[in-house]
Amino acid sequence: MRGSFLLKLIAWAIAITLVALPIVGVLNGWFASDRWPVTKLDVHAEFNHVSAEQIRASVSPHLGEGFFAVNLADVRAAVAKLPWVERAEARKRWPDVIELTVYEQQPYARWGEDRLINRHGQVFQVSGTEGLQGLPELSGPDDRLDEVIQFHADCLKEFSGSGLIVTAVALSPRGGWTLRLASGASIAVGRDHPRERLARFLDAWPKLAAGRADTPAYVDLRYANGFAVRWAQKPGLGIRDSGFDANRRTDSVALRIPNPQSRMPALHS
């Protein structure tokens, strides 16, 4: 009795296997890989930096394969290798269509001389970026990328409403911060307490700028109890300063914040 049941069970298992194996094989492209070929490509993309022709060329090796034989992971990987592509999503639509959604890189800032940072804070490199206008210029050691991005975001917030526009943030290998403004002015922030130094300068800025038509050429915040400002003036008013624009000269003013332990501001990094 038990032997008869076992034989029936084995027979059922074999029958199910014989029925299921062809179905599984077809669905996975093991058999009939040339049946129901994929002939159409439906692409959804912004097409700002990646063309439909580039996308089709990357996917073309997979067109003509059987519907069930197409490996979507391979399709996604092929499209993702294209310049300016951040990622791609792919799916099949019966009976002969591959649907693609392509997400392009969205540059947030420049990183160093020849790389870009995307909206997720990831560095990528593509050619032909010279025409991109209006991107902040960030630089620093690669392992401190997140720190530079955060400091730039903090600067944008702190400088809001001041009339000064930060266009570049640089972090030196030694940890010193430098800002550049839209006017071309440079602000040496240094290493120690950079946010406190910027806050001190911005608190004093409205009084410094009151009644002046010119803009700073250089600001040095690396003092224990104050900072120094060199002002740009109109052309023709004197000998130009060799460290700045050839058509501008500068004069200087140093602001000291009273400190009972120091008569003169001490320069720090």
Side-chain angles (χ1 to χ4, degrees):
M1 185 71 178
R2 182 175 298 177
S4 176
F5 174 77
L6 183 59
L7 288 175
K8 289 181 179 180
L9 185 61
I10 293 174
W12 273 106
I14 293 173
I16 293 173
T17 300
L18 292 175
V19 172
L21 185 60
I23 297 174
V24 173
V26 170
L27 293 178
N28 285 277
W30 300 338
F31 313 129
S33 60
D34 57 344
R35 299 291 300 274
W36 309 290
V38 172
T39 59
K40 299 176 183 176
L41 184 63
D42 188 3
V43 180
H44 304 274
E46 299 175 63
F47 301 116
N48 290 327
H49 301 286
V50 183
S51 68
E53 290 74 17
Q54 287 177 301
I55 296 172
R56 175 171 289 277
S58 69
V59 179
S60 60
H62 303 280
L63 298 178
E65 293 183 0
F67 183 85
F68 297 108
V70 172
N71 188 316
L72 293 180
D74 292 342
V75 173
R76 288 190 292 267
V79 177
K81 290 180 181 178
L82 292 174
W84 284 105
V85 172
E86 179 185 319
R87 62 187 176 90
E89 297 176 354
R91 69 186 186 93
K92 302 173 187 177
R93 190 176 74 232
W94 181 261
D96 59 352
V97 181
I98 292 180
E99 291 185 346
L100 274 176
T101 302
V102 180
Y103 299 91
E104 293 188 17
Q105 297 278 14
Q106 301 294 325
Y108 162 74
R110 295 186 182 276
W111 182 247
E113 296 183 357
D114 57 358
R115 291 182 291 171
L116 300 172
I117 305 171
N118 68 15
R119 58 187 173 179
H120 302 298
Q122 301 166 330
V123 174
F124 67 101
Q125 187 169 11
V126 292
S127 60
T129 62
E130 298 80 7
L132 294 176
Q133 302 294 326
L135 292 179
E137 298 180 12
L138 310 183
S139 62
D142 284 351
D143 60 354
R144 300 184 70 177
L145 170 66
D146 292 344
E147 188 177 349
V148 176
I149 293 175
Q150 184 59 57
F151 189 70
H152 173 253
D154 293 343
C155 287
L156 294 182
K157 180 179 178 181
E158 293 300 322
F159 277 79
S160 176
S162 69
L164 303 175
I165 302 173
V166 177
T167 59
V169 173
L171 177 63
S172 73
R174 296 184 60 188
W177 295 96
T178 303
L179 309 183
R180 190 174 72 245
L181 305 181
S183 64
S186 177
I187 301 180
V189 183
R191 290 181 298 177
D192 301 328
H193 313 294
R195 288 169 176 80
E196 290 81 353
R197 288 176 175 178
L198 285 174
R200 184 172 62 192
F201 167 69
L202 291 171
D203 285 344
W205 173 247
K207 293 182 179 180
L208 288 173
R212 300 195 67 115
D214 51 356
T215 58
Y218 178 75
V219 181
D220 193 342
L221 308 183
R222 297 172 297 170
Y223 291 85
N225 61 337
F227 53 84
V229 180
R230 286 195 287 188
W231 296 89
Q233 294 184 346
K234 294 181 179 180
L237 296 183
I239 301 173
R240 72 175 187 260
D241 183 41
S242 62
F244 299 96
D245 189 289
N247 295 316
R248 299 189 302 180
R249 70 175 289 274
T250 63
D251 56 13
S252 301
V253 59
L255 177 65
R256 293 198 297 272
I257 298 174
N259 184 333
Q261 298 180 352
S262 175
R263 291 186 179 182
M264 294 293 292
L267 184 63
H268 294 268
S269 61

